[in-house]
Amino acid sequence: MEQPTALFDSYEQDFQQIVASIRDKLDGDADAPSAEQKKAALRRVEMELDEADEMVSQMEIEIQGIPQSIRAQYQSRIKSAKAELARHKKASKDAHGALARADLLGRRATSPYSSENGGENDDRARLLAGTGLLEDGSRRLAESQRIALETEEQGADILRNLRGQREQIENARDTLRTADSSIDRASGTLKKMIRRMYQQRVVTAAIVVVLVLVIAIILWEKLHK
């Protein structure tokens, strides 16, 4: 029989693998030779952060089926996973900001139209563009969180339905056991009735034999007088 914590452990293992991949990408981001490669790495980090969010949601669903006696330690593991995920989300956000600032500074250094008089306006435009990128990243994170919450609610509904079905199956099993016990009692009663019927037949046959013998003796005595 599958242990109640098996799925939780499986989701936690997947979460740790995803987090390790995120960590490797964030650590290797500084060594990327080009801005495009950094952007590609950060896009992959965003997707893996969504996957890690999904794993945490699945862990929260599975913990509902874990016995109360050991649930506290698994709740602590979920709390630790959430804290670790939050750290990597912040690191990803910081990496996006650093990349946006570096991109803005690079454009300013290489732009042939930059001048002392127009530099301030260009800086403002680029900073606004960078802020827009950061806000877009924040919206994506908020959307991912919303999807994760909806998935958690759907999973909880499914779990409740499964529990209801399990209770129905257990009730049906109890009913079958009761019916089986009643059948056994009825079978025993029938066997007793059949045994008594045979006993009554034997007694009746014995009485008939005795009566026949008595009649035969009486006739014999009358015939020989």
Side-chain angles (χ1 to χ4, degrees):
M1 181 177 178
E2 187 178 9
Q3 296 296 324
T5 61
L7 280 176
F8 182 97
D9 294 336
S10 176
Y11 287 129
E12 185 180 33
Q13 184 178 4
D14 292 341
F15 172 81
Q16 293 298 336
Q17 291 176 352
I18 294 170
V19 166
S21 176
I22 292 172
R23 189 184 304 114
D24 291 341
K25 289 181 176 64
L26 291 175
D27 292 341
D29 176 64
D31 300 329
S34 68
E36 288 302 321
Q37 290 181 346
K38 291 181 180 180
K39 290 179 181 179
L42 289 177
R43 283 194 295 270
R44 289 193 293 271
V45 166
E46 290 296 329
M47 290 187 290
E48 289 181 340
L49 284 172
D50 291 343
E51 293 179 8
D53 255 329
E54 176 65 20
M55 292 300 103
V56 172
S57 298
Q58 293 297 330
M59 289 161 64
E60 289 179 328
I61 292 172
E62 289 303 320
I63 200 174
Q64 298 180 30
I66 294 177
Q68 289 286 351
S69 58
I70 60 173
R71 186 178 295 181
Q73 58 179 308
Y74 286 88
Q75 289 174 333
S76 176
R77 286 159 67 174
I78 288 180
K79 185 177 179 181
S80 176
K82 286 183 176 180
E84 188 172 9
L85 182 59
R87 288 196 300 271
H88 285 87
K89 284 183 177 180
K90 183 179 183 302
S92 174
K93 186 176 180 180
D94 292 343
H96 274 291
L99 183 60
R101 288 191 296 271
D103 189 37
L104 290 174
L105 292 174
R107 283 192 224 167
R108 181 180 178 185
T110 57
S111 174
Y113 303 102
S114 61
S115 63
E116 185 176 353
N117 295 329
E120 184 176 352
N121 292 332
D122 290 343
D123 287 345
R124 180 186 295 273
R126 288 168 185 145
L127 287 174
L128 288 174
T131 302
L133 289 174
L134 291 176
E135 290 178 352
D136 182 63
S138 298
R139 283 194 297 270
R140 290 181 59 190
L141 289 175
E143 181 67 15
S144 298
Q145 185 177 10
R146 183 186 64 79
I147 294 173
L149 290 175
E150 290 178 355
T151 303
E152 180 181 356
E153 291 176 358
Q154 293 174 357
D157 289 339
I158 293 173
L159 186 60
R160 283 192 293 269
N161 291 334
L162 290 175
R163 285 180 177 174
Q165 292 175 6
R166 183 177 65 183
E167 290 176 358
Q168 291 177 357
I169 292 173
E170 290 177 350
N171 291 335
R173 184 175 59 188
D174 293 339
T175 302
L176 288 175
R177 286 178 177 173
T178 303
D180 187 51
S181 177
S182 299
I183 291 172
D184 288 341
R185 288 196 297 270
S187 177
T189 302
L190 287 173
K191 288 179 180 179
K192 289 179 181 179
M193 292 175 64
I194 292 172
R195 188 164 53 250
R196 289 176 181 174
M197 181 185 69
Y198 284 129
Q199 290 174 352
Q200 289 175 355
R201 286 185 178 180
V202 170
V203 171
T204 301
I207 292 172
V208 170
V209 170
V210 170
L211 289 175
V212 169
L213 289 175
V214 169
I215 293 171
I217 292 171
I218 292 172
L219 292 175
W220 185 80
E221 288 179 352
K222 287 185 177 183
L223 291 174
H224 289 79
K225 280 183 179 181

